[in-house]
Every structure is written in C-alpha cells, then in structure tokens.
Amino acid sequence: MTIVPARHTTPDLLIIGGGIHGCAAALFAAKRGMSVTVIEKDSVARHASGVNAGGVRRLGRDFAEVPISVRSMQIWHDIPDLLGEDCGFQIAPQIKLAENEDELASLRKRADDLAMLGFEHEVVLDRSRVRELLPAVADHVVGGLACLDDGFAQPFWTTTAFRRKAEHLGAVFVEGVRAERLVREAGDWIVATSAGSYRAPKVLISCGAWSGILAAQLDEPVPVHAIAPLMLVTSRLPAFCNAVVGATGRPLSFKQMPNGTVVIGGGRRGIAEPASNRSEILFSQLRLTADTAISLFPIMASATIIRTWSGIEGCMPDEIPVIGASRKHEGIFYSFGYSAHGFQLGPAVGELMAELASTGSTQTDLSKFSIDRFPSNQCQ
Amino acid sequence: MTRLKDVVIIGAGPAGMACAVEAAAKGLSTVVLDENPQPGGQVYRAIESASENRLRVLGHDYARGRELASEFRQSSGVDYHPGSTVWNIGPDRLVEFSRDGKSSAIRASHLVVATGAIERPCPLPGWTLPGVTTAGALQILLKTSGITYQDTVLTGSGPLLWLLAAQMVDAGSPPKAIVETVPRGRLFNALPELMTALGAREYLLKGMSMIRKVKRAGVRIHVGADDIAIEGSGAVSAIRFRSKGTEHRIATDAVALHQGVVPNQQVTRLLGCRHFWDDSQKCFRPKLSEDRETSCAHVYVAGDGGGIEGAKSAEMQGRLVGLAIAEKEGHGTDPRISELRLTLKREAHVRPFLEKLYAPSRQILHPDDATVICRCEEVTAGSVREAVTQGAPGPNQVKSFLRTGMGPCQGRICGLVVTSVISESGGKSPDDVDYYRIRPPLKPLPLAELADYSADIPGSRDTA
Amino acid sequence: MPKRIDPDTETVTFTFEGQIIRARPGDTVASALAASGIRHLRDSAVSGEPRGIFCMMGACFDCLVEVNGQPNRQACMTPVSQDLAVNRQNGGVEVKV
C-alpha cells in the first residue's frame, strides 16, 4: 500500500468529501490552526453543494436545527468578510405561502410554537402583506410565513470560495480521490483510497449520499439513501420577485435570480444513481413543479425552461442530518444526510465540526443528530 | 399506455430517412421525429418544395435528395412526425417530444440518433453583429426561400464555402469576395493524404470545378487571411483582415462565416454515450461500433452526428443501421450490410485530406481574450482563461463560474470553443478537459407546456 | 442586399413591430424578415446589443422573437402564417402585475 506524498502525511484532520460541509469544516479547522487535508472523489462542489437551489433559509426548519441555522445565518451575513468574496449572497425574504385558511392556521401555530422557544425570526404575513412583498402572486394566496432577512447565494461559488479560503490558510484539497476503507492503526486512522493511503488521527466523514458506505464499514450503519432533487431554470424574465418562495401544501422552492432567470425546485425527485454519479430527470415529476409555479405565479405561464438538473444528495428517514462524533470510535466525526436542506447550515456546522475535532466537545446540543438514533432494523 | 415502437429515429435528413426506409421494409414499427416541416435535414432542406430554378442553382448533389425523399414518403411502414422537437430522452429510451405546442412520449426499443451536424462556431471580433451569419444559414435561405444576398463576403475555409460561392454565382449574386483562412503551405502539408483521397477522386474533381467556377466569375479571393475582424455599429459594415502581409478592409453589409461542420452532440451527450476527441476532425465524436451502436446499448448514430463524412455516407450509414437493427430483431442478415460497410470505408478516403487542408483557423481555435465566445451570455475567451487560472478544471466548472452554455443555445455554439480554450490554457488534452454535461430539455421548453404534459408513464400524474 | 431568385409572389402577410411583412408560403419568420431587409430581430439579454439571424437551423437561438405574445420563439423555426404578430424581443420590458 503506497502512502501518499509528504505534504499529505498525517494532517491533524482528514476530511472525506469536498461539499460545502467538508469545505467549511476545513476552513474553520484551519482557522483553529489544525492541518487539514480534504479528499474528494470527484471535484469540489460537484454534487448537491454545487447544484442546489442556493436558498439560505432559516424559515420552516425542524426545531432541532433552528439553533444551528440561526448561528449559520449570522455567519452568512458576514460571508464577504469571512471569505473575501460575496458568493452572490443577498439578503432576501424567504416566504412560505398559504393557499387556504387551514394552511395559514398551521403557519400561525408554527410561528407561535417557535416564539415559545424564544425564536422570533419567523413572522406571519396576512393577505395584503404578502402582496406588498410579492406583487405577482396569484389571487388565491391568503397569507404566508416569512423570514424577512434570510436570503440566497450562488452554491458553486460559495462552496469553492470556502475551499479557496481554506487553501489560503494551508488546507490541502485533493480531487479525484475516493475513500474506500478506514482502518485504525497506532492511534491514527489509515484511509485507503483509490490513489494511495492517507493517515490522520481524526477523520470527518462528510461525503453526502456516499457517507453511509463508510459508516457501515465502521459498524455504525445508518439509513442514508441517495435522492436526486429536481430543479429547473427558465430564460430571463423581467424582474417581478425578489423573495425566495415556498408553499405549504405542496413542494416548491421558487426564486428569481438577479439576472432575471427563475430557478424552481423544491421536493420533486428524479432517479439518483450514486454508483455512477448520474441522476435522471423525471419530467413526469417535474411537470408538477411547473404546474405549482404557474398556479402561484401566473406570469410564469410565459416562461421557457432552459435547463433542468439534479444533484445527488443524502437523505435520512427523519429528514434531519447526522452531525457529531462517532459513538464507537475515537477520532471519527460525521456530518451528512442533510436531506436537501444543508446548504444554509454549512457555515455553522463547519464551525461546529472544527470545534469538535479540535477540542473534543461542543456547547451545542447535537443529541437529536446522533448517528445511533435509528433502530438497527432500519439500517439494513 | 405509452406507445412502444421498434425503432425511433430522431431526424429526417439522409441518414434518418434511409434508416427508416430499411427498418420499415423489414417490418419493424418505425417512427421518425423531425423538427422541420419537410424531410431532408439541412443538406436536402426543402427538397420537396424547391422550385426548378432553385434545383438548378443548388446543383445535382442537392437535387438527388429528391429520390431519397420520395422513397421515404412511399415507405408505407414509416410513421413520420414532422414539426416534432425531441426535448428529452428519459430512462429506457423514453423519447419525449413537442409537436404543435403539446408534449408526448414514445418508448423506443432501438433509438437512432440522426441529428446530423452543426456548423463549427467561428468566434471572431464582431461576429455577433446582425448581418453576420454562418455560410450554412445563407444556403438554408436559398433552399427554403430562394433568397440570396448580393455583395456578401464569405470567410473561413472548407468545401461548403466554395459550394455556397458557386451556388451564389449560379444564382446571379456572386459573393463580393472570399476571404480564405487556409494558411500558405497547408496544401503542401496535406499532400501525403492526397494519395488516399484519390480513392474518392470524384469529390476532388467536383471541388476543383466549384473553385474554377467561382474564379471565372471574377470573385476576388484573398488567401491565407488572418486577424479577421468584423466592423459595424448596429449591423455589419465591413470586414478587416490581413492577407499576404497586407491589411485589407472590405465594406459589406453581409458576412458569412464557415470553418467546417461538427457533429451535433446534444443527444448523445444527454444519453451519456462515450465520446472521444478526433484530432483530425477537431471535434468530439461518439464512440461507435461497426454497426454504429453507441456505448449505450440500443442507441445508434447514423450520419454526421457520428463524425463528419457527408450526405452520401450519411444515407449509407442510415441503411446500415436500419438493417443492423433488423438483424438484431431476428430478421436475418441482409447481404447489403457487408457491402455498405465496404463502400463506407471507400467513401471515407477523401476525409483525411480535407480535414488536414481545411483544419479550423488559428483565430477560431485560439480566440483573442476580448472575443466573445458564448454568444448567449456574452462571455469572452479571456474570462474563460481567467476562470481556468482561478481553478476551474473543466467546462462544467467554467459554466458554473461564468454561465457559459447556460443561455438558450444550451452550449451548442460555445461548447467546442470552451473545451479548446480550457485545453490550451490548462495544458490538458481535449479528452481530459471533456465537454459540458448536457441536461434536458434538449431545446428550451415552455413551462406551461411541461405543466400540461401528461406522459402516461410510471411516476406520472396518477401516481404522484 | 437580399433578393429572391424565384418569380413567385408574396401571398402571406404578418406583422413585425406593427409593420406589415409580405412573405411566401414555405418561408419562416426569419427568412421572410431577411427577404424584407430586416436584420435586427432582438436585443441580447446581457448587454442589449442588437442581434439577427445567425445559423437559420435552430441551433444558435440568436433569432428569438415574440410570436403572438409568446416570447423566446425561434424565428428560423417558425413557419409564417397569415396575421402572425411578431415583435422584437428585448429583456428590458417591465412586467405588469
């Protein structure tokens, strides 16, 4: 077994996966003075991190994620200072529309529940306030729930900007290298890859849909499965919407980019083939997305689809990620299974993982994200 | 139920028509989907409706398309859908297409991609000005509408440039000038290939007679042209270039560009077929078996979409693929299969010579930093080079950085140039640089049409 | 300058930017406009520079026009028909909501 060249020999932390979570962890670990190597089987931001819809959203999160999401938003607001690039980040309202009174009632209840926990960032919008924010919205919409200073960013730009900054601070990125096996040896982990072996005392597994294979090898099987969320982008339209819009009763993520194109996604899925890196677009599914978009924004009836795409993402049965230290092995950390909403969490989780890897603990309660939360019969 | 057909052919040019005729004759259920209102593809465009006058001007090689078109029309087993735009091919060869503003789908046991060639992009300063077109565009205007431009300047290189010039002479509007970019000495370098080319000498003789005709008509010919720039404000007003060490400027309101044609890769890329860089043709081609099956089982390429070999070869390839599919489907081995293979080899003899002589010009392969290479998003060669130095290893990362290939043409026009610029600045072979990942829809699709789409397939509206 | 080589007459009319264009059966919107000497079909989406026909075979998408209110139609792939209303396409139009 060849051990790879000297500059890679025994970094303090080896990160498997060059998505936003791997890149952000690399940056924050490097800021803490750790030596870091990131190995990525394809190229940085190749999958979900580079091709997602770019929503930077606290709105509507699982309550377990809210504290991390709120912390992440603080980092997002300072992203140009952190990375030296603005990553296309813009503050914009995130709005979840209610198409009937029942939906509006459920949104009101959610805002109240969140307020009880001490979080005031989600606000209920009545009929007229929705129209102030979204003049092009369909007549039947009765209200909504909003985070007025959420936003969106360019995913590929953001992920590669984290990488560039991490590299600037000394982190080493190696692309085209696939981690195959982890073995414990003399207090270190030896990671056998498609191109030689890497050695490090600490390893962060953050390779999205592909993480489950490594976790299973480490005898921590976890029911992560690959999904392929579908997205489409239209040709340029005149400016009509500066918020990121979702719906309550049906899947949707809708936003107009500063250049006038409209990116629509949000929940409909194609076929993911993680073994070959391919994903198939299912237009029978995407047609429902088109239908939803037109019914909420009638102006979209004149839009033209230029491109559709999907990226391969890891999804958990309870749709919240696995974040934290291994329950069985010293020096192994996990961060994956973001279930198609991990982009906004990237900066805060990166900070957290760096803290965890460097100090061995964190103040943040991660018990809900534990890798052993699933009954073993789910993990077969 | 979604319709299942033995053979679905995309494109009704020579390859598509010939393939359909052979497959249907063997009793296979055969569907042809084609974007144009009439069969013929680009080479025989409007062949059924062209006037006698147009047939005369366009010449014998065009007129002979009539025979094939009528054979195609008379083939009773062919289900022909003109005006149909294929916008996706889903899992298991589900062909999704739009016709008259409505989308539907057909599943194919065998899929034949006969989508032909597109013109090689010719990025030059000023090439986006109105009045600048491809040479092929002028030929299409002549074929479909009998329109010709007077005082046009043709620039670039390749057989089509001379063919168009000869046709313009016959149409009574000879070009104002031909600005040919073939460097001096190229002919000498191509001589070794000439011996092989003599095996297909009728092509050479035809070529020489076209050139003679144009020269006899008194068209000014500038050879070895370089540093071409098109000038104008609002529309083209002149072309500037250097030839034999002298600067030239010709005032004109029409410039046509040509640097040869290249396979239209959109469908084979979408399907994930394996491609390779053909350094002689300076383009990517899908990897094909002897019977022209791609690396994706049951997907074939007939015609120039598999590599540039011309209309006559395209027709033979179409027949070959039709017969090969029939053989696979248990209709026996047709003796014509081996004949076609042999003839195709002989027809290919002229190619290496033409490819060497008419290799794309320096300016096209290595555009100046300031030249726009992505016409849709108006991205320059210089910004692509800068993205490479910032760490974009290939076309897909450049696309994410700069939006090249994200406009309505979906990378058709800039794709090869982007690969070649990255290859040059990153010091990697085009094979290593690779090409854009092509995503559906293959052509922009109205959102409302997708919303109304109701392919009766698993996962459709009933089950969602 | 464009000229027609066949002696037929124009029997189809449509409008471009309100101007009446005479066309022949078999023409596309692009070829009919070309024959009428109209070269500027749209303004580009990024810089607003004028664009016209380029490839005439549906590949380049430079001839995008608005046809009967539908934007992004390829003039070179749209057959002419009586009374089509074709307009130049530019990205700067304000949307009415």
Side-chain angles (χ1 to χ4, degrees):
Chain A
M1 200 183 272
T2 41
I3 293 280
V4 284
R7 65 175 187 145
H8 303 311
T9 308
T10 327
D12 299 329
L13 175 64
L14 181 78
I15 298 177
I16 301 172
I20 186 155
H21 286 275
C23 292
L27 169 59
F28 287 106
K31 280 170 81 94
R32 284 174 170 269
M34 298 178 86
S35 59
V36 183
T37 296
V38 180
I39 59 174
E40 159 56 51
K41 73 176 175 60
D42 297 304
S43 54
V44 165
R46 164 72 176 82
H47 296 288
S49 294
V51 301
N52 65 75
V56 177
R57 169 179 68 81
R58 288 168 300 172
L59 180 70
R61 293 212 166 252
D62 188 291
F63 287 173
E65 289 178 351
V66 169
I68 301 176
S69 180
V70 168
R71 167 62 194 143
S72 219
M73 207 66 217
Q74 293 170 339
I75 305 178
W76 275 104
H77 283 169
D78 292 334
I79 213 108
D81 288 343
L82 179 69
L83 302 181
E85 303 176 50
D86 72 24
C87 304
F89 173 70
Q90 291 191 19
I91 295 178
Q94 287 264 356
I95 302 174
K96 192 174 212 178
L97 298 175
E99 297 184 71
N100 54 51
E101 291 300 333
D102 286 350
E103 288 179 5
L104 187 56
S106 75
L107 296 179
R108 280 210 178 88
K109 177 171 185 323
R110 178 183 160 90
D112 291 345
D113 290 348
L114 208 51
M116 300 274 278
L117 296 172
F119 295 104
E120 305 274 346
H121 55 273
E122 297 191 6
V123 295
V124 175
L125 309 176
D126 65 13
R127 204 181 165 85
S128 62
R129 183 78 176 115
V130 163
R131 279 167 184 77
E132 274 168 41
L133 292 166
L134 297 172
V137 82
D139 287 344
H140 73 278
V141 170
V142 295
L145 187 65
C147 279
L148 296 174
D149 54 356
D150 278 1
F152 60 89
Q154 300 277 3
F156 181 82
W157 184 359
T158 307
T159 306
T160 55
F162 269 102
R163 175 225 177 124
R164 280 189 289 278
K165 187 68 184 184
E167 275 181 321
H168 183 69
L169 298 178
V172 174
F173 282 73
V174 193
E175 296 176 297
V177 170
R178 175 194 291 265
E180 285 167 351
R181 213 168 45 254
L182 283 80
V183 183
R184 190 79 169 152
E185 185 187 286
D188 282 340
W189 288 97
I190 307 291
V191 181
T193 74
S194 53
S197 290
Y198 290 75
R199 182 183 198 108
K202 290 167 185 169
V203 177
L204 168 61
I205 296 173
S206 56
C207 48
W210 292 267
S211 304
I213 302 165
L214 296 175
Q217 276 181 20
L218 291 165
D219 198 26
E220 294 188 282
V222 60
V224 55
H225 65 283
I227 58 168
L230 295 172
M231 272 158 289
L232 66 85
V233 62
T234 71
S235 55
R236 288 173 163 82
L237 291 171
F240 70 92
C241 174
N242 59 10
V244 186
V245 182
T248 309
R250 37 186 176 170
L252 180 73
S253 156
F254 180 101
K255 80 167 164 296
Q256 185 170 33
M257 303 303 291
N259 67 16
T261 61
V262 178
V263 176
I264 315 174
R268 305 286 177 190
R269 290 168 188 176
I271 301 170
E273 295 168 15
S276 63
N277 273 351
R278 278 178 67 87
S279 51
E280 291 279 2
I281 306 293
L282 287 182
F283 282 91
S284 50
Q285 287 295 305
L286 206 50
R287 67 157 291 276
L288 302 167
T289 300
D291 191 54
T292 304
I294 293 171
S295 79
L296 289 173
F297 291 96
I299 181 182
M300 294 304 292
S302 68
T304 306
I305 305 168
I306 297 288
R307 209 157 35 87
T308 67
W309 72 97
S310 76
I312 296 178
E313 161 70 331
C315 186
M316 309 305 299
D318 53 6
E319 301 204 357
I320 58 171
V322 172
I323 308 174
S326 160
R327 293 301 177 117
K328 293 194 171 163
H329 305 283
E330 193 189 331
I332 295 285
F333 304 91
Y334 296 111
S335 168
F336 64 86
Y338 286 87
S339 310
H341 56 261
F343 182 60
Q344 189 267 351
L345 298 175
V349 178
E351 184 183 59
L352 246 161
M353 297 317 290
E355 183 191 5
L356 207 50
S358 109
T359 69
S361 67
T362 170
Q363 293 292 308
T364 311
D365 175 16
L366 296 175
S367 57
K368 295 220 170 72
F369 306 109
S370 160
I371 192 159
D372 62 0
R373 68 183 188 267
F374 303 97
S376 60
N377 63 4
Q378 271 192 8
C379 305
Q380 298 311 305
Chain B
M1 279 300 291
T2 303
R3 291 171 289 169
L4 174 70
K5 297 287 176 176
D6 295 329
V7 188
V8 174
I9 299 163
I10 309 175
M17 290 192 286
C19 182
V21 165
E22 298 298 343
K26 295 282 184 185
L28 301 175
S29 58
T30 304
V31 172
V32 176
L33 302 171
D34 187 67
E35 237 185 331
N36 287 317
Q38 283 179 40
Q42 303 308 334
V43 67
Y44 303 137
R45 185 91 179 247
I47 189 71
E48 294 178 326
S49 56
S51 64
E52 287 306 315
N53 197 21
R54 274 187 247 163
L55 290 172
R56 176 189 60 79
V57 164
L58 290 160
H60 175 71
D61 282 347
Y62 174 71
R64 67 184 288 280
R66 278 200 157 175
E67 285 163 45
L68 180 56
S70 99
E71 191 188 355
F72 175 69
R73 286 286 193 186
Q74 280 158 28
S75 172
S76 55
V78 178
D79 187 6
Y80 166 53
H81 297 259
S84 299
T85 303
V86 173
W87 52 259
N88 186 37
I89 297 151
D92 299 322
R93 297 175 300 286
L94 182 80
V95 182
E96 304 182 291
F97 64 99
S98 168
R99 190 181 185 190
D100 297 331
K102 286 204 164 50
S103 283
S104 53
I106 302 177
R107 199 177 291 284
S109 294
H110 302 270
L111 178 68
V112 181
V113 182
T115 48
I118 57 171
E119 276 194 74
R120 178 188 296 283
C122 302
L124 294 170
W127 73 313
T128 56
L129 286 165
V132 181
T133 63
T134 65
L138 295 193
Q139 235 188 2
I140 289 168
L141 281 169
L142 197 51
K143 289 172 184 171
T144 59
S145 301
I147 296 169
T148 173
Y149 280 86
Q150 281 161 320
D151 296 330
T152 302
V153 175
L154 306 184
T155 181
S157 76
L160 181 74
L161 200 70
W162 290 104
L163 173 62
L164 173 64
Q167 290 166 338
M168 291 172 84
V169 168
D170 284 339
S173 55
K176 188 169 195 178
I178 292 183
V179 177
E180 201 191 37
T181 55
V182 177
R184 299 165 83 182
R186 188 68 87 61
L187 182 60
F188 183 76
N189 292 335
L191 285 180
E193 280 77 16
L194 186 57
M195 291 313 289
T196 324
L198 292 175
R201 82 168 61 75
E202 74 271 29
Y203 286 103
L204 297 177
L205 295 174
K206 261 184 218 162
M208 286 180 334
S209 88
M210 285 184 318
I211 295 174
R212 265 201 310 274
K213 176 182 279 183
V214 176
K215 287 185 174 165
R216 266 208 310 268
V219 176
R220 287 198 57 183
I221 294 160
H222 301 269
V223 295
D226 199 358
D227 292 332
I228 298 170
I230 298 157
E231 295 177 350
S233 133
V236 53
S237 57
I239 179 169
R240 236 178 342 98
F241 57 94
R242 201 161 36 74
S243 162
K244 292 183 176 168
T246 317
E247 301 285 337
H248 296 263
R249 186 178 184 281
I250 306 175
T252 178
D253 61 4
V255 172
L257 313 173
H258 184 69
Q259 293 279 347
V261 297
V262 294
N264 177 354
Q265 310 173 66
Q266 299 297 112
V267 175
T268 47
R269 289 277 177 187
L270 173 76
L271 286 162
C273 302
R274 202 162 301 139
H275 289 69
F276 68 97
W277 178 258
D278 181 332
D279 203 52
S280 180
Q281 294 195 350
K282 294 275 182 289
C283 63
F284 286 106
R285 305 168 65 165
K287 199 173 168 329
L288 301 177
S289 74
E290 195 178 25
D291 291 332
R292 307 191 65 84
E293 189 171 8
T294 66
S295 63
C296 302
H298 309 295
V299 176
Y300 301 76
V301 179
D304 278 358
I308 303 307
E309 301 192 32
K312 216 168 141 192
S313 291
E315 178 179 336
M316 286 189 275
Q317 290 166 3
R319 294 192 193 276
L320 177 64
V321 169
L323 296 173
I325 293 173
E327 184 181 346
K328 275 202 177 171
E329 288 287 302
H331 293 265
T333 304
D334 193 303
R336 285 182 297 156
I337 290 183
S338 48
E339 280 167 41
L340 283 164
R341 283 181 189 154
L342 267 177
T343 322
L344 277 166
K345 281 203 182 102
R346 200 176 60 236
E347 287 289 316
H349 282 155
V350 74
R351 287 288 142 191
F353 173 70
L354 293 180
E355 285 159 14
K356 197 150 194 181
L357 180 61
Y358 292 131
S361 73
R362 177 201 66 84
Q363 259 193 300
I364 300 309
L365 292 176
H366 312 290
D368 294 343
D369 277 351
T371 302
V372 165
I373 59 175
C374 167
R375 295 171 64 98
C376 297
E377 296 292 325
E378 307 185 56
V379 181
T380 62
S383 20
V384 172
R385 292 189 179 107
E386 201 184 312
V388 173
T389 60
Q390 281 187 5
N396 294 298
Q397 290 80 10
V398 167
K399 171 164 131 182
S400 297
F401 270 125
L402 299 174
R403 291 187 55 80
T404 46
M406 284 205 189
C409 97
Q410 302 165 307
R412 284 171 174 81
I413 304 299
C414 66
L416 279 182
V417 188
V418 167
T419 294
S420 122
V421 167
I422 297 173
S423 159
E424 169 208 19
S425 9
K428 290 197 287 186
S429 73
D431 270 324
D432 288 337
V433 170
D434 212 358
Y435 196 73
Y436 291 134
R437 276 189 295 277
I438 299 301
R439 298 295 203 175
L442 286 163
K443 288 264 173 117
L445 176 71
L447 191 70
E449 185 173 332
L450 177 60
D452 285 340
Y453 173 50
S454 59
D456 187 8
I457 49 174
S460 186
R461 63 170 82 201
D462 304 324
T463 54
Chain C
M1 283 299 288
K3 70 163 196 187
R4 301 258 197 183
I5 64 169
D6 293 328
D8 320 1
T9 49
E10 281 76 10
T11 53
V12 182
T13 57
F14 67 98
T15 62
F16 179 72
E17 294 283 307
Q19 177 191 340
I20 290 170
I21 306 292
R22 297 162 61 76
R24 298 181 183 182
D27 279 348
T28 57
V29 167
S31 67
L33 292 174
S36 304
I38 292 171
R39 299 197 288 180
H40 173 195
L41 301 196
R42 72 167 178 129
D43 296 328
S44 74
V46 178
S47 67
E49 295 289 321
R51 291 289 173 89
I53 59 167
F54 184 66
C55 79
M56 282 302 288
M57 56 181 278
C60 76
F61 291 79
D62 248 327
C63 64
L64 294 178
V65 289
E66 198 185 285
V67 177
N68 289 344
Q70 262 287 337
N72 298 311
R73 308 318 294 167
Q74 291 179 284
C76 74
M77 300 300 286
T78 308
V80 289
S81 59
Q82 188 62 35
D83 298 333
L84 280 184
V86 180
N87 280 295
R88 203 167 265 148
Q89 181 161 318
N90 73 63
V93 186
E94 280 305 311
V95 66
K96 298 169 210 77
V97 289

